[in-house]
């Protein structure tokens, strides 16, 4: 078996993760991953970036905003590959957020044919349920959705 590289080029990272180079640069600009620079100003990534990118993809795959993924990654020590225990802690935190999102989506799915409180789906029905736009006093957007 060949010797593993200690530092990876952006091309190496792209091949290993299946991500486009532009996506890797994007995550770096957002502070989710970091790279060292060579004397020629080329990026070099430590191997832990592969696991971090896998965590980013997992979070995005389940629909979490990048800001929530960033919060989870910020708790990890810099320069260390996330461990199984790190993942368990992150997954536990994400599970409660996903459960809340699932409840909202189920409620939306079940009430999709009716008014969701903002009038955007059923203007005529909302005239009966929300006459004179009384729900506007409770806030903007789909105020009944968050109940």
């Amino acid at each position: 078996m060949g010797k593993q590289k200690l530092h990876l080029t952006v091309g190496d990272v792209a091949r290993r993760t299946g991500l486009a180079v532009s996506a890797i640069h994007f995550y770096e600009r957002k502070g989710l991953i970091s790279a060292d620079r060579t004397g020629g100003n080329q990026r070099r990534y430590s191997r832990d970036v592969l696991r971090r990118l896998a965590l980013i993809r997992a979070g995005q795959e389940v629909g979490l905003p990048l800001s929530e993924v960033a919060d989870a990654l910020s708790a990890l020590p810099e320069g260390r590959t996330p461990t199984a225990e790190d993942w368990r802690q992150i997954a536990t935190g994400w599970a409660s957020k996903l459960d809340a999102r699932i409840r909202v989506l189920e409620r939306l799915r079940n009430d999709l044919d009716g008014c969701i409180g903002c009038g955007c789906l059923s203007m005529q029905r909302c005239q009966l349920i929300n006459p004179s736009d009384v729900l506007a006093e409770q806030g903007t957007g789909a105020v009944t959705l968050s109940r």
Side-chain angles (χ1 to χ4, degrees):
M1 189 163 194
K3 187 176 178 181
Q4 287 184 330
K5 288 183 179 183
L6 294 178
H7 290 91
L8 305 169
T9 66
V10 70
D12 293 333
V13 174
R15 278 187 294 283
R16 294 284 309 273
T17 62
L19 291 168
V21 169
S22 60
I24 296 165
H25 290 168
F26 172 79
Y27 294 138
E28 186 179 350
R29 281 191 309 276
K30 293 294 185 183
L32 300 174
I33 60 172
S34 61
D36 295 321
R37 298 290 182 143
T38 66
N41 204 30
Q42 295 176 334
R43 290 174 170 92
R44 292 295 183 264
Y45 297 91
S46 59
R47 296 183 58 71
D48 68 289
V49 79
L50 300 174
R51 184 80 47 89
R52 290 172 187 273
L53 288 168
L55 291 175
I56 293 167
R57 289 187 78 179
Q60 289 186 306
E61 192 66 31
V62 297
L64 293 173
L66 206 49
S67 61
E68 290 182 19
V69 175
D71 289 344
L73 289 174
S74 69
L76 298 175
E78 191 64 36
R80 177 178 64 73
T81 301
T83 64
E85 181 56 31
D86 292 330
W87 172 244
R88 266 190 291 285
Q89 289 178 4
I90 289 170
T92 299
W94 286 355
S96 62
K97 293 174 186 199
L98 290 173
D99 287 342
R101 287 199 172 114
I102 289 168
R103 285 190 297 276
V104 168
L105 288 170
E106 286 175 338
R107 196 167 50 241
L108 179 59
R109 180 200 60 213
N110 294 339
D111 295 336
L112 195 57
D113 64 341
C115 177
I116 61 171
C118 66
C120 66
L121 293 181
S122 181
M123 297 294 270
Q124 291 175 337
R125 183 167 176 202
C126 282
Q127 293 302 318
L128 297 174
I129 295 174
N130 187 21
S132 303
D133 198 21
V134 294
L135 290 175
E137 295 172 14
Q138 296 179 24
T140 59
V143 295
T144 62
L145 189 59
S146 60
R147 289 185 186 153

